[in-house]
Amino acid sequence: VCSASTAKSLLFRFIPILTWLPRYPVKEWLLGDIISGFSVGIMHLPQGLAYSLLAGLPPVVGLYSAFYPVLVYFFFGTSRHISVGPFAVISVMIGSITDSLEPSGKFMEADNDTNVPILNEAKRDAARVQLAAALTFLVGIFQIALGLLQFGFLATYLSEPLVRGYTTAAAIQVLISQLKYVIGVELEEYAGPLALIYTFLELCSKLPKTNVGTLVTSLIAIISILIVKKISDKLGKRIPVPIPTELLTIIIATGISYGAKLNGRFNISVVGEIPSGLVPPKAPVVSYFGQVIGNAFAIAVVSYVICVSLGKIFAFKHGYKVDSNQELIALGLSNFVGGFFQCYSIGCSMSRSLVQESTGGHSQVSAAVSCLLLLVTILKISELFRELPKAILAAIILVNLKGMFKQFKDIHTLWKSNFVDLLIWLVTFVATILLNLDMGLGVAVVFSLLTVIFRTQMPHYSILGQVSKTGIYKDAAEYQKAEEIPGVKIFRSSATIYFANAALYEEALKTKKKKALKKKHNKDKKEEKKAKVCLSVTLFICFSQEPRGDTTANGPSGSVDDQKYQNLKQPQSSDQPGLMALGLEKPPFHSIILDFSPVNFVDTVSIKTLKNIFKDFQEIEVNVFLVGCNDSVISQLERGNFFSQNITKHHLFASLHHAVSYITRNQEELPPTDRVSNLCSMP
Amino acid sequence: VCSASTAKSLLFRFIPILTWLPRYPVKEWLLGDIISGFSVGIMHLPQGLAYSLLAGLPPVVGLYSAFYPVLVYFFFGTSRHISVGPFAVISVMIGSITDSLEPSGKFMEADNDTNVPILNEAKRDAARVQLAAALTFLVGIFQIALGLLQFGFLATYLSEPLVRGYTTAAAIQVLISQLKYVIGVELEEYAGPLALIYTFLELCSKLPKTNVGTLVTSLIAIISILIVKKISDKLGKRIPVPIPTELLTIIIATGISYGAKLNGRFNISVVGEIPSGLVPPKAPVVSYFGQVIGNAFAIAVVSYVICVSLGKIFAFKHGYKVDSNQELIALGLSNFVGGFFQCYSIGCSMSRSLVQESTGGHSQVSAAVSCLLLLVTILKISELFRELPKAILAAIILVNLKGMFKQFKDIHTLWKSNFVDLLIWLVTFVATILLNLDMGLGVAVVFSLLTVIFRTQMPHYSILGQVSKTGIYKDAAEYQKAEEIPGVKIFRSSATIYFANAALYEEALKTKKKKALKKKHNKDKKEEKKAKVCLSVTLFICFSQEPRGDTTANGPSGSVDDQKYQNLKQPQSSDQPGLMALGLEKPPFHSIILDFSPVNFVDTVSIKTLKNIFKDFQEIEVNVFLVGCNDSVISQLERGNFFSQNITKHHLFASLHHAVSYITRNQEELPPTDRVSNLCSMP
């Protein structure tokens, strides 16, 4: 019984539709889902055509990609509102791969008559479709594997500032890649780092060759789409579904193009032949795998991260949950199946998802409806669009980028709220612009992880004081009410102590000590000034004698020679006077408390540093205590052989206040090891 | 007056000798320094010859490198005991560069008579010397620049486990590179990743071609050096200076080689011509700079890190301080000057430094004495060593590796003390073996930085309880004495909350909550069991109903449809029963305290997560409090717009105990914003 129920629960988990479809509230949801499905399907058609252009693939591939994977997601997805399918960022990533691995230059054939090399487009497109399908298959494999291994947490490495910086850069990539269609020129295909810059430069140099007909077509299309969208927004809730602007645009544009023979008369390039009907499944071409494995991984991660973050936004809004690992599996299966049917990798379009939700979609049933619409389109209608100018598709893409360009506002927001996150945004953006989309992503991830180091490497060090007998301890330099306990220094670093800042910690602690010594010395000096006795002699001693090593003043290791040399040592900071010369042999405090509550872990370097600190201070008869170590830190200290005869667990206290009470109570008692065990250290 | 004194103090700081030499205690120190200088100088001679072999350079370069840079360091260094000069790890790094940029293959010339290509060694060596000098110059520039920019802290990125793993791997590199001299075969020169593996494989394949004479020579040399060293160690303190084993070895070996005509009769390759006298300075060849800039940076960092860590060990032992930035400048100037005099980059040899200290050296005066000895050698003696077999030098190098191979013991030590540091050691070792010494270092640094992420990404989450009314709070699951406060959940993560673990934090918090709910539910169930009423019905409801989204139970956003759907949702974890069905609308606690004392910083992602947590719990009428935020975290929260109408600074408390007292005192008062301001939050 048990194994059967486990198997059943696993089945229900991996095929979510089994759970929700039988309980689908037909009356309440079906109408909304159908309306939403139609609206989304109507968007899929122009977007599919347009994004396949972006991916460097024939238009019909975009339609396939809006059909098969969406259908698979319907069965396996856990988000109810996202619209998977062709997506600009993923499309431009694929575009850079098709450009570099199957460049047009590879398919130049000498014309039989004139011997001038001309492009064999059919052959190129066939090769590219195979490449894209192989890539899609690999992406699917990666996503399924990551999902089964429960690697959904990978998404956390791509933090929000990173993803937004990345998609903004991708939008720029899309923009630059589409401008050639807008002004109607042919460009070389660049790949690798700086490809975007080269493309842009060539674009600028070819500006004079602009095809005016194409430019006018694009501008009219862009402006009319923008106006209609504005009207649709204004009408808002007064119309049940938004105006299908893009569909209208391509229908009208195709009509005009057909009627005015734009292609023939103005040399405006059009979409061309679109085969109708579905194709039989075909195994992906294995020989491409080696070349695209890195890109496949990048696409797998990016498409997943964007889908799951969008999914979570809707889930949060509507009070349900998306299962990140199941999402990986669902997307992976969609791509896996797509790889057999000439699809290219899917993502999740923000614009379509918003329409799906706002037109009353409640579940992925609307996606199934849109699939039906797509199927009809592929079978019957798509071939009608052969005269559609490519400039119109470019216009549709550009208008859809508007939302992503709005992300530039992040710079301002992050500037005000979090500087490090702004840095992550900017580095991601610049790296993605300058390198390509894969390497840019790698650089961005590594950089964002390194910020954690930067953030903890230069911590804020402070000496704490007690706030008017409350048992609360605050930075004595910043809070007037916080007063230092006489004879006790409480030292806190704002960050974990580990190899990158352990030396700094030790130095900061000793500097604070020096400052304390200096303060004391200044007081002495003032008194001396008052008495006006021996002042000049004192100053002479202070400045002619070099400062001495302060850590081993009474240490056992200093031989006569060493002591002599110490007095001769080169100056390191000119503000530390020769205390020995003034007869101050002991610092003005008997105990140091290190507040370890912000410490997340310790490593061998920090343990060594700590041991040094204990040794140095115990040599000048100052007790050192650790306070607020969490349990894992204590066990790390144990494993690292931190505790010894001189450093016992009696040096640990659970809280600052307990340590302070203990010290002030037992001030006379020395050495510390003679004290009785106390509950607070809780070994 | 002020500027003059500043200038003077700067001068004294940059030229430490001005400070210490005028106060040099001649009577006490001079004799020891002279003895130590002679001992070190005697080691410099064989090591200089040997390490230049390692660097692929003519032997005299090693002698120059033991003279000019050491003299410069005498003026600028702050360590009193380290012996700078040729060093195995740096030499092998240079060797890989000379091999790859000026390979022997480049200098094959057709013999005039036979037309068989033979190697023009003189030309190759001249090119390599120029290359090494240019590299040394660049290394010097890097080190001076880093020192002036106060980048001495860079050394902290190379933590001790990393450096030890790296030098162990370098020792393996040295071993493999020297074996060809031991068995007397010629090998191809490999460069780039896996070079070591290829070299080793070729070495194995050439084993049958071993020159028996060379092998016997090497083995005799190795064994006799080991025996004499052992005797020298045994005699220990009874002799004033250690036996100059290596010097004796090369003198005897040269004598035998000369007498027995080893080179002519057994084809044992010898050192060859050594020019006597110093060379005039020569500007480095700029054209090499572009090719070696990356390597120069790696060498600059490695040589600095090894010198400064060795220097700090001696400084700690003898109670003085080395100034890390001044060390960078001193090493930089040494290399900079060396670049003009055919030297190659220097490091700091462990074995020589130990001799320098143990023979009574007190200051760098001993280095000056060794320089004098080197000068005499270069001018008069070095040419005598032309018949010295290279196998002897290889033997000297190999014996000197003993100390570095001992570092393999680290694996055992680290295994017991700190697993992550062991991982750093191993990754560094493997990366440096498989890649070359530069790329290996890069990989090691990036990996060791990433460990900080790993360490904080999977923190330990715990619910705290109060230890028997003491005001100390400990993990309630681990400490029996720690008891949870009724109605209050205190939640702590052992690590900082940031983008890589923010989602995990939220999930862990809600899981703990769920567990609490489950506990409560189990209690209810038990009671029901006792009463044996409706049990089967309850269970039916528990398992047939799917678990519902728990975060927005009473949230304002849930419409009727949504609520319905939530009840239909797919199962996510089978252990959470349908609480709503049991009539439990509110969790069994009214307050949650998040212990933020381990939090080092917050980023936009963690702020967003926190806001969600506040929102979710406030919706089910649970108060959330943050406790122990340090000042920088509070200001980051402020900048990140964390505080709003619903989340005010009244939700902050300075300590757990204050928050708990406050909550238990004000339990009735709701909503929290109506409460009076309290001192503890200290806005």
Side-chain angles (χ1 to χ4, degrees), chain B residues 277-548:
Chain B
L278 298 175
V279 288
K282 211 169 135 188
V285 182
V286 181
S287 60
Y288 281 117
F289 286 1
Q291 293 169 283
V292 297
I293 195 156
N295 307 81
F297 188 77
I299 291 174
V301 173
V302 170
S303 100
Y304 161 65
V305 169
I306 290 172
C307 286
V308 87
S309 54
L310 208 55
K312 279 191 175 163
I313 292 171
F314 287 117
F316 186 69
K317 188 172 167 193
H318 292 278
Y320 62 94
K321 274 211 166 178
V322 293
D323 176 342
S324 38
N325 292 314
Q326 177 60 26
E327 280 298 284
L328 257 176
I329 292 172
L331 288 172
L333 284 172
S334 302
N335 281 318
F336 178 81
V337 171
F340 288 90
F341 289 98
Q342 303 198 351
C343 299
Y344 71 85
S345 313
I346 53 153
C348 164
S349 155
M350 181 85 182
S351 56
R352 282 199 315 269
S353 303
L354 279 175
V355 168
Q356 178 160 340
E357 187 230 9
S358 62
T359 52
H362 291 292
S363 73
Q364 288 293 340
V365 168
S366 81
V369 173
S370 85
C371 281
L372 270 181
L373 200 71
L374 256 291
L375 185 62
V376 175
T377 310
I378 293 170
L379 293 179
K380 297 289 167 195
I381 307 169
S382 61
E383 53 188 312
L384 299 178
F385 290 108
R386 53 173 298 178
E387 289 296 322
L388 174 64
K390 284 183 178 174
I392 301 292
L393 293 179
I396 292 174
I397 293 173
L398 294 184
V399 172
N400 274 313
L401 290 179
K402 221 178 76 183
M404 289 212 258
F405 282 127
K406 277 190 190 149
Q407 294 181 142
F408 274 113
K409 282 185 198 157
D410 289 2
I411 298 178
H412 182 70
T413 321
L414 288 175
W415 169 256
K416 283 201 297 184
S417 65
N418 196 309
F419 182 70
V420 181
D421 283 352
L422 173 65
L423 221 58
I424 293 176
W425 197 101
L426 289 175
V427 167
T428 307
F429 180 79
V430 171
T432 313
I433 291 284
L434 292 185
L435 308 170
N436 53 29
L437 282 156
D438 317 310
M439 281 161 66
L441 184 67
V443 169
V445 170
V446 169
F447 178 80
S448 74
L449 294 180
L450 289 185
T451 57
V452 181
I453 311 284
F454 307 151
R455 272 172 153 143
T456 51
Q457 210 190 349
M458 299 287 186
H460 178 72
Y461 299 107
S462 41
I463 296 280
L464 306 186
Q466 192 174 24
V467 179
S468 39
K469 314 262 173 211
T470 54
I472 293 172
Y473 296 82
K474 287 275 179 184
D475 188 340
E478 289 193 24
Y479 292 89
Q480 284 204 325
K481 284 182 185 165
E483 276 178 23
E484 288 190 48
I485 317 286
V488 181
K489 288 277 159 204
I490 306 172
F491 184 72
R492 168 147 76 187
S493 157
S494 65
T496 292
I497 299 151
Y498 65 108
F499 65 85
N501 64 14
L504 205 66
Y505 182 83
E506 190 175 358
E507 202 158 300
L509 176 60
K510 289 179 180 165
T511 316
K512 296 271 177 196
K513 197 190 78 180
K514 271 180 207 159
K515 277 192 188 148
L517 290 174
K518 197 187 155 197
K519 218 168 163 185
K520 176 98 166 92
H521 164 63
N522 284 344
K523 224 186 241 168
D524 291 356
K525 230 167 59 177
K526 265 182 205 159
E527 280 160 18
E528 280 163 20
K529 238 178 193 167
K530 270 183 201 156
K532 295 204 174 186
V533 178
C534 303
L535 178 63
S536 59
V537 178
T538 312
L539 283 176
F540 171 77
I541 297 169
C542 285
F543 296 108
S544 72
Q545 292 267 2
E546 300 308 325
R548 33 159 322 196

Side-chain angles (χ1 to χ4, degrees), chain A residues 219-502:
Chain A
L219 288 181
I220 292 176
I222 291 177
I223 293 168
S224 23
I225 297 175
L226 282 176
I227 291 174
V228 179
K229 282 210 175 222
K230 199 99 200 164
I231 295 171
S232 178
D233 285 354
K234 277 263 159 104
L235 292 176
K237 296 277 165 190
R238 271 176 287 173
I239 45 173
V241 290
I243 302 171
T245 325
E246 282 134 2
L247 184 71
L248 290 178
T249 310
I250 64 168
I251 290 173
I252 295 169
T254 309
I256 294 174
S257 173
Y258 192 76
K261 296 208 177 69
L262 290 183
N263 186 15
R265 275 163 57 188
F266 302 99
N267 196 24
I268 292 176
S269 73
V270 295
V271 164
E273 216 59 64
I274 302 179
S276 69
L278 298 176
V279 287
K282 211 170 136 187
V285 181
V286 180
S287 60
Y288 281 118
F289 286 2
Q291 293 168 284
V292 298
I293 195 157
N295 308 80
F297 188 77
I299 292 175
V301 173
V302 170
S303 100
Y304 162 64
V305 169
I306 290 172
C307 287
V308 88
S309 54
L310 208 55
K312 278 190 176 164
I313 292 171
F314 286 117
F316 186 70
K317 188 171 168 193
H318 291 278
Y320 62 94
K321 274 212 165 181
V322 293
D323 176 342
S324 37
N325 292 313
Q326 178 59 27
E327 278 300 284
L328 257 176
I329 293 172
L331 288 172
L333 284 172
S334 303
N335 281 317
F336 178 83
V337 171
F340 288 90
F341 290 97
Q342 303 197 354
C343 300
Y344 71 85
S345 312
I346 53 154
C348 165
S349 155
M350 181 84 182
S351 56
R352 283 199 314 269
S353 304
L354 279 175
V355 167
Q356 178 160 341
E357 187 230 9
S358 61
T359 51
H362 292 292
S363 73
Q364 288 293 341
V365 167
S366 80
V369 173
S370 84
C371 281
L372 270 181
L373 201 70
L374 256 292
L375 185 63
V376 175
T377 310
I378 293 169
L379 293 179
K380 299 287 169 200
I381 306 168
S382 61
E383 54 190 310
L384 300 178
F385 290 108
R386 51 172 301 177
E387 288 296 323
L388 174 64
K390 284 184 177 175
I392 301 292
L393 292 179
I396 292 174
I397 293 173
L398 293 183
V399 172
N400 273 313
L401 291 179
K402 219 178 77 183
M404 289 212 259
F405 282 127
K406 278 190 188 149
Q407 293 181 144
F408 275 114
K409 283 185 199 157
D410 288 1
I411 298 179
H412 181 71
T413 320
L414 288 175
W415 169 256
K416 283 201 295 183
S417 66
N418 196 310
F419 182 70
V420 182
D421 283 352
L422 173 65
L423 220 58
I424 293 176
W425 197 101
L426 289 176
V427 167
T428 307
F429 180 78
V430 172
T432 312
I433 291 286
L434 292 186
L435 308 170
N436 52 29
L437 283 156
D438 317 309
M439 280 162 67
L441 184 67
V443 169
V445 170
V446 170
F447 178 79
S448 75
L449 293 179
L450 289 184
T451 56
V452 181
I453 311 285
F454 308 152
R455 272 172 153 142
T456 52
Q457 210 189 351
M458 299 285 185
H460 177 71
Y461 298 107
S462 41
I463 295 280
L464 306 186
Q466 192 173 26
V467 180
S468 40
K469 315 262 173 210
T470 54
I472 293 171
Y473 295 83
K474 286 274 179 186
D475 189 341
E478 289 194 25
Y479 292 89
Q480 285 205 323
K481 284 182 185 166
E483 277 179 22
E484 288 191 49
I485 317 286
V488 180
K489 289 276 158 202
I490 306 172
F491 184 71
R492 168 149 74 187
S493 158
S494 66
T496 291
I497 299 151
Y498 64 108
F499 65 85
N501 64 13

Side-chain angles (χ1 to χ4, degrees), chain A residues 23 29 80 157 160 319 415 417 421 455 457 472 496 565-566 568 598 600-601 604 608 639 658, chain B residues 23 29 80 157 160 319 415 417 421 449 455 457 472 496 565-566 568 598 600-601 604 608 639 658:
Chain A
R23 299 200 182 85
W29 286 9
R80 287 154 45 194
Y157 283 126
E160 204 189 321
W415 169 256
S417 66
D421 283 352
R455 272 172 153 142
Q457 210 189 351
I472 293 171
T496 291
Y565 193 83
Q566 278 169 13
L568 301 177
N600 297 178
F601 62 86
T604 49
K608 213 168 167 182
R639 289 192 66 199
H658 287 83
Chain B
R23 300 198 181 87
W29 286 10
R80 287 154 46 194
Y157 283 127
E160 203 190 323
W415 169 256
S417 65
D421 283 352
L449 294 180
R455 272 172 153 143
Q457 210 190 349
I472 293 172
T496 292
Y565 193 84
Q566 278 168 12
L568 301 176
N600 298 178
F601 62 86
T604 49
K608 211 168 171 185
R639 290 192 66 199
H658 287 83

Side-chain angles (χ1 to χ4, degrees), chain B residues 77-246:
Chain B
T78 65
S79 169
R80 287 154 46 194
H81 294 93
I82 64 170
S83 166
V84 297
F87 174 50
V89 173
I90 305 293
S91 303
V92 76
M93 287 175 92
I94 292 166
S96 76
I97 300 163
T98 53
D99 274 6
S100 68
L101 291 185
E102 297 292 354
S104 300
K106 210 169 151 186
F107 301 95
M108 288 308 206
E109 286 176 1
D111 189 81
N112 279 339
D113 305 327
T114 60
N115 226 12
V116 174
I118 56 161
L119 177 64
N120 186 337
E121 276 195 41
K123 226 168 158 182
R124 182 197 64 183
D125 286 352
R128 288 187 170 182
V129 168
Q130 285 194 330
L131 169 64
L135 180 67
T136 306
F137 176 82
L138 260 191
V139 169
I141 295 286
F142 274 126
Q143 288 177 330
I144 295 170
L146 290 174
L148 291 178
L149 294 171
Q150 308 281 305
F151 266 48
F153 71 86
L154 268 188
T156 58
Y157 283 127
L158 278 65
S159 64
E160 203 190 323
L162 189 153
V163 170
R164 293 178 70 95
Y166 186 73
T167 48
T168 313
I172 300 275
Q173 296 257 13
V174 172
L175 173 70
I176 303 279
S177 75
Q178 292 308 295
L179 282 181
K180 65 176 173 183
Y181 296 112
V182 172
I183 66 170
V185 296
E186 297 262 325
L187 297 184
E188 300 234 352
E189 286 147 352
Y190 297 95
L194 296 182
L196 193 74
I197 311 294
Y198 294 135
T199 308
F200 184 71
L201 291 179
E202 200 190 335
L203 199 73
C204 293
S205 72
K206 291 223 171 140
L207 268 185
K209 292 188 186 165
T210 302
N211 180 328
V212 180
T214 309
L215 183 62
V216 170
T217 314
S218 326
L219 289 181
I220 291 176
I222 292 177
I223 293 169
S224 21
I225 298 175
L226 282 175
I227 291 174
V228 179
K229 283 213 173 216
K230 199 99 199 165
I231 294 171
S232 179
D233 285 353
K234 278 261 159 106
L235 293 176
K237 293 279 165 189
R238 272 176 287 172
I239 45 172
V241 291
I243 303 171
T245 327
E246 281 135 0

